[in-house]
PDB file of all heavy atoms in Angstrom:
ATOM      1  N   LEU A 256     -17.337   3.962  11.022  1.00 98.00           N
ATOM      2  CA  LEU A 256     -16.199   3.315  10.355  1.00 98.00           C
ATOM      3  C   LEU A 256     -16.628   1.939   9.898  1.00 98.00           C
ATOM      4  O   LEU A 256     -17.318   1.224  10.658  1.00 98.00           O
ATOM      5  CB  LEU A 256     -15.001   3.246  11.250  1.00 98.00           C
ATOM      6  CG  LEU A 256     -13.659   2.883  10.577  1.00 98.00           C
ATOM      7  CD1 LEU A 256     -13.132   3.987   9.681  1.00 98.00           C
ATOM      8  CD2 LEU A 256     -12.602   2.542  11.639  1.00 98.00           C
ATOM      9  N   TYR A 257     -16.217   1.492   8.726  1.00 97.00           N
ATOM     10  CA  TYR A 257     -16.662   0.183   8.268  1.00 97.00           C
ATOM     11  C   TYR A 257     -15.599  -0.882   8.524  1.00 97.00           C
ATOM     12  O   TYR A 257     -14.404  -0.599   8.589  1.00 97.00           O
ATOM     13  CB  TYR A 257     -17.142   0.171   6.826  1.00 97.00           C
ATOM     14  CG  TYR A 257     -16.047   0.360   5.747  1.00 97.00           C
ATOM     15  CD1 TYR A 257     -15.330  -0.733   5.315  1.00 97.00           C
ATOM     16  CD2 TYR A 257     -15.781   1.612   5.198  1.00 97.00           C
ATOM     17  CE1 TYR A 257     -14.351  -0.557   4.312  1.00 97.00           C
ATOM     18  CE2 TYR A 257     -14.875   1.778   4.193  1.00 97.00           C
ATOM     19  CZ  TYR A 257     -14.138   0.664   3.764  1.00 97.00           C
ATOM     20  OH  TYR A 257     -13.208   0.818   2.797  1.00 97.00           O
ATOM     21  N   PHE A 258     -16.064  -2.124   8.613  1.00 96.00           N
ATOM     22  CA  PHE A 258     -15.229  -3.294   8.926  1.00 96.00           C
ATOM     23  C   PHE A 258     -15.727  -4.472   8.112  1.00 96.00           C
ATOM     24  O   PHE A 258     -16.874  -4.541   7.688  1.00 96.00           O
ATOM     25  CB  PHE A 258     -15.316  -3.647  10.405  1.00 96.00           C
ATOM     26  CG  PHE A 258     -14.758  -2.633  11.321  1.00 96.00           C
ATOM     27  CD1 PHE A 258     -15.523  -1.519  11.703  1.00 96.00           C
ATOM     28  CD2 PHE A 258     -13.487  -2.800  11.860  1.00 96.00           C
ATOM     29  CE1 PHE A 258     -15.029  -0.579  12.590  1.00 96.00           C
ATOM     30  CE2 PHE A 258     -12.981  -1.810  12.757  1.00 96.00           C
ATOM     31  CZ  PHE A 258     -13.754  -0.703  13.095  1.00 96.00           C
ATOM     32  N   PHE A 266      -5.755  -3.891  12.259  1.00 95.00           N
ATOM     33  CA  PHE A 266      -5.125  -3.403  11.008  1.00 95.00           C
ATOM     34  C   PHE A 266      -6.223  -2.886  10.037  1.00 95.00           C
ATOM     35  O   PHE A 266      -6.010  -2.878   8.820  1.00 95.00           O
ATOM     36  CB  PHE A 266      -4.341  -4.514  10.324  1.00 95.00           C
ATOM     37  CG  PHE A 266      -3.377  -5.205  11.217  1.00 95.00           C
ATOM     38  CD1 PHE A 266      -3.557  -6.505  11.678  1.00 95.00           C
ATOM     39  CD2 PHE A 266      -2.182  -4.532  11.668  1.00 95.00           C
ATOM     40  CE1 PHE A 266      -2.637  -7.139  12.479  1.00 95.00           C
ATOM     41  CE2 PHE A 266      -1.306  -5.201  12.501  1.00 95.00           C
ATOM     42  CZ  PHE A 266      -1.533  -6.492  12.917  1.00 95.00           C
ATOM     43  N   ASN A 267      -7.408  -2.464  10.533  1.00 96.00           N
ATOM     44  CA  ASN A 267      -8.481  -2.147   9.637  1.00 96.00           C
ATOM     45  C   ASN A 267      -8.240  -0.897   8.785  1.00 96.00           C
ATOM     46  O   ASN A 267      -8.738  -0.804   7.691  1.00 96.00           O
ATOM     47  CB  ASN A 267      -9.768  -1.870  10.486  1.00 96.00           C
ATOM     48  CG  ASN A 267     -11.014  -1.709   9.633  1.00 96.00           C
ATOM     49  OD1 ASN A 267     -11.296  -2.563   8.773  1.00 96.00           O
ATOM     50  ND2 ASN A 267     -11.695  -0.625   9.843  1.00 96.00           N
ATOM     51  N   LEU A 268      -7.446   0.028   9.278  1.00 97.00           N
ATOM     52  CA  LEU A 268      -7.265   1.276   8.522  1.00 97.00           C
ATOM     53  C   LEU A 268      -6.466   1.053   7.215  1.00 97.00           C
ATOM     54  O   LEU A 268      -6.545   1.901   6.318  1.00 97.00           O
ATOM     55  CB  LEU A 268      -6.623   2.337   9.353  1.00 97.00           C
ATOM     56  CG  LEU A 268      -7.510   2.852  10.516  1.00 97.00           C
ATOM     57  CD1 LEU A 268      -6.895   4.111  11.136  1.00 97.00           C
ATOM     58  CD2 LEU A 268      -8.919   3.175  10.046  1.00 97.00           C
ATOM     59  N   GLN A 269      -5.744  -0.074   7.110  1.00 96.00           N
ATOM     60  CA  GLN A 269      -5.094  -0.339   5.808  1.00 96.00           C
ATOM     61  C   GLN A 269      -6.189  -0.534   4.720  1.00 96.00           C
ATOM     62  O   GLN A 269      -5.990  -0.105   3.577  1.00 96.00           O
ATOM     63  CB  GLN A 269      -4.194  -1.553   5.876  1.00 96.00           C
ATOM     64  CG  GLN A 269      -4.900  -2.869   6.067  1.00 96.00           C
ATOM     65  CD  GLN A 269      -3.935  -4.074   5.951  1.00 96.00           C
ATOM     66  OE1 GLN A 269      -3.281  -4.287   4.905  1.00 96.00           O
ATOM     67  NE2 GLN A 269      -3.818  -4.848   7.012  1.00 96.00           N
ATOM     68  N   ARG A 270      -7.310  -1.106   5.112  1.00 96.00           N
ATOM     69  CA  ARG A 270      -8.402  -1.326   4.171  1.00 96.00           C
ATOM     70  C   ARG A 270      -9.114   0.025   3.882  1.00 96.00           C
ATOM     71  O   ARG A 270      -9.432   0.353   2.737  1.00 96.00           O
ATOM     72  CB  ARG A 270      -9.408  -2.332   4.746  1.00 96.00           C
ATOM     73  CG  ARG A 270     -10.587  -2.604   3.875  1.00 96.00           C
ATOM     74  CD  ARG A 270     -11.521  -3.628   4.529  1.00 96.00           C
ATOM     75  NE  ARG A 270     -10.861  -4.916   4.707  1.00 96.00           N
ATOM     76  CZ  ARG A 270     -10.479  -5.419   5.863  1.00 96.00           C
ATOM     77  NH1 ARG A 270     -10.669  -4.736   6.966  1.00 96.00           N
ATOM     78  NH2 ARG A 270      -9.849  -6.580   5.951  1.00 96.00           N
ATOM     79  N   ILE A 271      -9.314   0.830   4.919  1.00 97.00           N
ATOM     80  CA  ILE A 271     -10.013   2.097   4.744  1.00 97.00           C
ATOM     81  C   ILE A 271      -9.302   3.043   3.842  1.00 97.00           C
ATOM     82  O   ILE A 271      -9.863   3.683   2.921  1.00 97.00           O
ATOM     83  CB  ILE A 271     -10.286   2.765   6.095  1.00 97.00           C
ATOM     84  CG1 ILE A 271     -11.002   1.823   7.042  1.00 97.00           C
ATOM     85  CG2 ILE A 271     -11.057   4.087   5.923  1.00 97.00           C
ATOM     86  CD1 ILE A 271     -12.393   1.415   6.603  1.00 97.00           C
ATOM     87  N   THR A 272      -7.961   3.177   4.026  1.00 98.00           N
ATOM     88  CA  THR A 272      -7.222   4.161   3.241  1.00 98.00           C
ATOM     89  C   THR A 272      -7.124   3.723   1.784  1.00 98.00           C
ATOM     90  O   THR A 272      -7.241   4.557   0.862  1.00 98.00           O
ATOM     91  CB  THR A 272      -5.828   4.391   3.827  1.00 98.00           C
ATOM     92  OG1 THR A 272      -5.080   3.159   3.857  1.00 98.00           O
ATOM     93  CG2 THR A 272      -5.875   4.971   5.193  1.00 98.00           C
ATOM     94  N   SER A 273      -6.875   2.427   1.544  1.00 98.00           N
ATOM     95  CA  SER A 273      -6.712   2.020   0.124  1.00 98.00           C
ATOM     96  C   SER A 273      -8.093   2.029  -0.580  1.00 98.00           C
ATOM     97  O   SER A 273      -8.177   2.421  -1.751  1.00 98.00           O
ATOM     98  CB  SER A 273      -6.110   0.595   0.057  1.00 98.00           C
ATOM     99  OG  SER A 273      -6.898  -0.347   0.767  1.00 98.00           O
ATOM    100  N   HIS A 274      -9.170   1.612   0.133  1.00 98.00           N
ATOM    101  CA  HIS A 274     -10.488   1.677  -0.515  1.00 98.00           C
ATOM    102  C   HIS A 274     -10.903   3.096  -0.748  1.00 98.00           C
ATOM    103  O   HIS A 274     -11.520   3.408  -1.816  1.00 98.00           O
ATOM    104  CB  HIS A 274     -11.483   0.985   0.414  1.00 98.00           C
ATOM    105  CG  HIS A 274     -11.428  -0.497   0.373  1.00 98.00           C
ATOM    106  ND1 HIS A 274     -12.317  -1.307   1.025  1.00 98.00           N
ATOM    107  CD2 HIS A 274     -10.541  -1.356  -0.208  1.00 98.00           C
ATOM    108  CE1 HIS A 274     -11.989  -2.609   0.811  1.00 98.00           C
ATOM    109  NE2 HIS A 274     -10.917  -2.647   0.086  1.00 98.00           N
ATOM    110  N   SER A 275     -10.630   4.005   0.221  1.00 98.00           N
ATOM    111  CA  SER A 275     -11.017   5.424   0.014  1.00 98.00           C
ATOM    112  C   SER A 275     -10.308   6.013  -1.203  1.00 98.00           C
ATOM    113  O   SER A 275     -10.902   6.829  -1.914  1.00 98.00           O
ATOM    114  CB  SER A 275     -10.663   6.202   1.260  1.00 98.00           C
ATOM    115  OG  SER A 275     -11.434   5.809   2.378  1.00 98.00           O
ATOM    116  N   PHE A 276      -9.085   5.607  -1.423  1.00 98.00           N
ATOM    117  CA  PHE A 276      -8.376   6.057  -2.610  1.00 98.00           C
ATOM    118  C   PHE A 276      -9.129   5.639  -3.880  1.00 98.00           C
ATOM    119  O   PHE A 276      -9.372   6.414  -4.796  1.00 98.00           O
ATOM    120  CB  PHE A 276      -6.923   5.565  -2.602  1.00 98.00           C
ATOM    121  CG  PHE A 276      -6.147   5.933  -3.818  1.00 98.00           C
ATOM    122  CD1 PHE A 276      -5.444   7.120  -3.855  1.00 98.00           C
ATOM    123  CD2 PHE A 276      -6.131   5.161  -4.988  1.00 98.00           C
ATOM    124  CE1 PHE A 276      -4.705   7.532  -4.945  1.00 98.00           C
ATOM    125  CE2 PHE A 276      -5.401   5.545  -6.110  1.00 98.00           C
ATOM    126  CZ  PHE A 276      -4.683   6.764  -6.065  1.00 98.00           C
ATOM    127  N   LEU A 277      -9.458   4.333  -3.952  1.00 98.00           N
ATOM    128  CA  LEU A 277     -10.191   3.864  -5.125  1.00 98.00           C
ATOM    129  C   LEU A 277     -11.490   4.572  -5.301  1.00 98.00           C
ATOM    130  O   LEU A 277     -11.911   4.856  -6.444  1.00 98.00           O
ATOM    131  CB  LEU A 277     -10.406   2.337  -5.061  1.00 98.00           C
ATOM    132  CG  LEU A 277      -9.135   1.480  -5.112  1.00 98.00           C
ATOM    133  CD1 LEU A 277      -9.576   0.001  -5.109  1.00 98.00           C
ATOM    134  CD2 LEU A 277      -8.308   1.760  -6.319  1.00 98.00           C
ATOM    135  N   ILE A 278     -12.191   4.824  -4.215  1.00 98.00           N
ATOM    136  CA  ILE A 278     -13.484   5.487  -4.276  1.00 98.00           C
ATOM    137  C   ILE A 278     -13.371   6.878  -4.897  1.00 98.00           C
ATOM    138  O   ILE A 278     -14.139   7.269  -5.765  1.00 98.00           O
ATOM    139  CB  ILE A 278     -14.139   5.557  -2.880  1.00 98.00           C
ATOM    140  CG1 ILE A 278     -14.582   4.171  -2.426  1.00 98.00           C
ATOM    141  CG2 ILE A 278     -15.263   6.556  -2.828  1.00 98.00           C
ATOM    142  CD1 ILE A 278     -15.839   3.697  -3.148  1.00 98.00           C
ATOM    143  N   PHE A 307     -19.057   9.719   0.865  1.00 98.00           N
ATOM    144  CA  PHE A 307     -18.723   8.555   1.649  1.00 98.00           C
ATOM    145  C   PHE A 307     -17.225   8.474   2.000  1.00 98.00           C
ATOM    146  O   PHE A 307     -16.881   8.221   3.144  1.00 98.00           O
ATOM    147  CB  PHE A 307     -19.140   7.275   0.855  1.00 98.00           C
ATOM    148  CG  PHE A 307     -18.690   6.022   1.521  1.00 98.00           C
ATOM    149  CD1 PHE A 307     -19.271   5.602   2.709  1.00 98.00           C
ATOM    150  CD2 PHE A 307     -17.635   5.257   1.002  1.00 98.00           C
ATOM    151  CE1 PHE A 307     -18.848   4.429   3.340  1.00 98.00           C
ATOM    152  CE2 PHE A 307     -17.230   4.065   1.642  1.00 98.00           C
ATOM    153  CZ  PHE A 307     -17.835   3.671   2.820  1.00 98.00           C
ATOM    154  N   ALA A 308     -16.375   8.735   1.023  1.00 98.00           N
ATOM    155  CA  ALA A 308     -14.957   8.760   1.290  1.00 98.00           C
ATOM    156  C   ALA A 308     -14.620   9.825   2.340  1.00 98.00           C
ATOM    157  O   ALA A 308     -13.800   9.563   3.260  1.00 98.00           O
ATOM    158  CB  ALA A 308     -14.173   9.001   0.019  1.00 98.00           C
ATOM    159  N   GLN A 311     -15.146   8.590   5.891  1.00 98.00           N
ATOM    160  CA  GLN A 311     -14.085   7.711   6.396  1.00 98.00           C
ATOM    161  C   GLN A 311     -12.792   8.496   6.743  1.00 98.00           C
ATOM    162  O   GLN A 311     -12.136   8.251   7.749  1.00 98.00           O
ATOM    163  CB  GLN A 311     -13.801   6.615   5.378  1.00 98.00           C
ATOM    164  CG  GLN A 311     -15.026   5.736   5.057  1.00 98.00           C
ATOM    165  CD  GLN A 311     -15.622   5.070   6.272  1.00 98.00           C
ATOM    166  OE1 GLN A 311     -14.980   4.220   6.927  1.00 98.00           O
ATOM    167  NE2 GLN A 311     -16.845   5.436   6.635  1.00 98.00           N
ATOM    168  N   VAL A 312     -12.504   9.447   5.889  1.00 98.00           N
ATOM    169  CA  VAL A 312     -11.328  10.286   6.111  1.00 98.00           C
ATOM    170  C   VAL A 312     -11.508  11.131   7.395  1.00 98.00           C
ATOM    171  O   VAL A 312     -10.582  11.219   8.230  1.00 98.00           O
ATOM    172  CB  VAL A 312     -11.042  11.203   4.905  1.00 98.00           C
ATOM    173  CG1 VAL A 312      -9.975  12.245   5.236  1.00 98.00           C
ATOM    174  CG2 VAL A 312     -10.663  10.393   3.691  1.00 98.00           C
ATOM    175  N   TYR A 314     -13.334  10.452   9.890  1.00 98.00           N
ATOM    176  CA  TYR A 314     -13.213   9.561  11.069  1.00 98.00           C
ATOM    177  C   TYR A 314     -11.771   9.338  11.413  1.00 98.00           C
ATOM    178  O   TYR A 314     -11.379   9.458  12.604  1.00 98.00           O
ATOM    179  CB  TYR A 314     -13.898   8.203  10.764  1.00 98.00           C
ATOM    180  CG  TYR A 314     -13.985   7.285  11.941  1.00 98.00           C
ATOM    181  CD1 TYR A 314     -15.207   7.019  12.563  1.00 98.00           C
ATOM    182  CD2 TYR A 314     -12.836   6.647  12.425  1.00 98.00           C
ATOM    183  CE1 TYR A 314     -15.275   6.146  13.667  1.00 98.00           C
ATOM    184  CE2 TYR A 314     -12.922   5.770  13.540  1.00 98.00           C
ATOM    185  CZ  TYR A 314     -14.149   5.556  14.149  1.00 98.00           C
ATOM    186  OH  TYR A 314     -14.199   4.725  15.234  1.00 98.00           O
ATOM    187  N   ILE A 315     -10.915   9.023  10.438  1.00 98.00           N
ATOM    188  CA  ILE A 315      -9.523   8.798  10.707  1.00 98.00           C
ATOM    189  C   ILE A 315      -8.837  10.021  11.320  1.00 98.00           C
ATOM    190  O   ILE A 315      -8.033   9.889  12.235  1.00 98.00           O
ATOM    191  CB  ILE A 315      -8.776   8.403   9.355  1.00 98.00           C
ATOM    192  CG1 ILE A 315      -9.256   7.054   8.891  1.00 98.00           C
ATOM    193  CG2 ILE A 315      -7.292   8.435   9.546  1.00 98.00           C
ATOM    194  CD1 ILE A 315      -8.716   6.631   7.508  1.00 98.00           C
ATOM    195  N   GLY A 379      -3.085   1.050  12.982  1.00 97.00           N
ATOM    196  CA  GLY A 379      -4.132   0.039  12.598  1.00 97.00           C
ATOM    197  C   GLY A 379      -5.511   0.491  12.887  1.00 97.00           C
ATOM    198  O   GLY A 379      -6.449   0.122  12.187  1.00 97.00           O
ATOM    199  N   TYR A 403      -0.466   1.857   4.622  1.00 98.00           N
ATOM    200  CA  TYR A 403      -1.659   2.536   5.120  1.00 98.00           C
ATOM    201  C   TYR A 403      -1.647   3.985   4.625  1.00 98.00           C
ATOM    202  O   TYR A 403      -2.689   4.503   4.209  1.00 98.00           O
ATOM    203  CB  TYR A 403      -1.664   2.626   6.641  1.00 98.00           C
ATOM    204  CG  TYR A 403      -1.752   1.344   7.403  1.00 98.00           C
ATOM    205  CD1 TYR A 403      -1.717   0.085   6.820  1.00 98.00           C
ATOM    206  CD2 TYR A 403      -1.818   1.380   8.805  1.00 98.00           C
ATOM    207  CE1 TYR A 403      -1.759  -1.071   7.570  1.00 98.00           C
ATOM    208  CE2 TYR A 403      -1.896   0.211   9.567  1.00 98.00           C
ATOM    209  CZ  TYR A 403      -1.860  -1.001   8.922  1.00 98.00           C
ATOM    210  OH  TYR A 403      -1.889  -2.135   9.691  1.00 98.00           O
ATOM    211  N   PRO A 406      -1.704   5.388   0.068  1.00 98.00           N
ATOM    212  CA  PRO A 406      -2.941   5.820  -0.653  1.00 98.00           C
ATOM    213  C   PRO A 406      -3.575   7.011  -0.040  1.00 98.00           C
ATOM    214  O   PRO A 406      -4.285   7.780  -0.724  1.00 98.00           O
ATOM    215  CB  PRO A 406      -3.831   4.563  -0.536  1.00 98.00           C
ATOM    216  CG  PRO A 406      -3.310   3.770   0.571  1.00 98.00           C
ATOM    217  CD  PRO A 406      -1.829   4.051   0.658  1.00 98.00           C
ATOM    218  N   PHE A 407      -3.374   7.215   1.245  1.00 98.00           N
ATOM    219  CA  PHE A 407      -3.958   8.365   1.967  1.00 98.00           C
ATOM    220  C   PHE A 407      -3.353   9.676   1.453  1.00 98.00           C
ATOM    221  O   PHE A 407      -4.046  10.716   1.528  1.00 98.00           O
ATOM    222  CB  PHE A 407      -3.794   8.214   3.434  1.00 98.00           C
ATOM    223  CG  PHE A 407      -4.857   8.858   4.286  1.00 98.00           C
ATOM    224  CD1 PHE A 407      -6.193   8.529   4.117  1.00 98.00           C
ATOM    225  CD2 PHE A 407      -4.529   9.804   5.233  1.00 98.00           C
ATOM    226  CE1 PHE A 407      -7.182   9.091   4.896  1.00 98.00           C
ATOM    227  CE2 PHE A 407      -5.527  10.414   6.031  1.00 98.00           C
ATOM    228  CZ  PHE A 407      -6.874  10.058   5.851  1.00 98.00           C
ATOM    229  N   VAL A 410      -5.663  10.536  -1.314  1.00 98.00           N
ATOM    230  CA  VAL A 410      -6.981  10.896  -0.818  1.00 98.00           C
ATOM    231  C   VAL A 410      -6.971  12.325  -0.263  1.00 98.00           C
ATOM    232  O   VAL A 410      -7.849  13.140  -0.563  1.00 98.00           O
ATOM    233  CB  VAL A 410      -7.447   9.925   0.264  1.00 98.00           C
ATOM    234  CG1 VAL A 410      -8.776  10.372   0.887  1.00 98.00           C
ATOM    235  CG2 VAL A 410      -7.584   8.515  -0.297  1.00 98.00           C
TER     236      VAL A 410
END
Side-chain angles (χ1 to χ4, degrees):
L256 192 70
Y257 70 84
F258 295 81
F266 310 109
N267 187 54
L268 292 189
Q269 68 173 301
R270 181 179 296 108
I271 304 298
T272 59
S273 59
H274 284 186
S275 295
F276 179 89
L277 292 185
I278 287 288
F307 173 70
Q311 301 302 296
V312 171
Y314 186 109
I315 291 173
Y403 297 3
F407 209 57
V410 175

